[in-house]
Amino acid sequence: NRKFIVDYTMDELEEMLNPQDYFRVNRSFYISVPSVEKIDDYFGNRLILQLLPPTDKEVVVSREKVMAFKRWMGK
């Protein structure tokens, strides 16, 4: 439940993070597999995630990334 300010864009972070460990689910969030508590269907062929620790924003996997997210999660 701590927040950190970073001086990198999401694209720059994507280049720094190991893609086996982190996945960019939308324009605002990178997640790790252990942080995913629950995955539910969401309207528009998207997914909504419940994470640990919980976030104050909805974490929705964008429609374009759903298939890649499922592969990344091993589903």
Side-chain angles (χ1 to χ4, degrees):
N1 290 331
R2 295 171 34 192
K3 295 182 181 184
F4 299 93
I5 297 173
V6 294
D7 290 329
Y8 299 105
T9 66
M10 293 293 278
D11 290 333
E12 290 169 335
L13 283 173
E14 190 165 16
E15 291 178 18
M16 291 184 229
L17 297 172
N18 183 338
Q20 292 179 339
D21 297 327
Y22 295 94
F23 187 86
R24 185 175 181 178
V25 294
N26 58 38
R27 289 187 274 172
S28 301
F29 284 93
Y30 285 99
I31 62 163
S32 65
V33 171
S35 69
V36 178
E37 181 179 41
K38 186 176 178 189
I39 303 169
D40 289 310
D41 291 329
Y42 198 62
F43 71 91
N45 296 320
R46 297 179 293 172
L47 300 171
I48 191 165
L49 308 177
Q50 290 182 10
L51 303 178
L52 291 174
T55 65
D56 55 347
K57 295 182 180 181
E58 285 187 338
V59 180
V60 178
V61 180
S62 67
R63 182 181 3 244
E64 297 81 18
K65 297 191 177 208
V66 166
M67 292 304 293
F69 174 74
K70 287 179 178 180
R71 281 192 303 275
W72 179 75
M73 288 290 294
K75 297 184 177 213

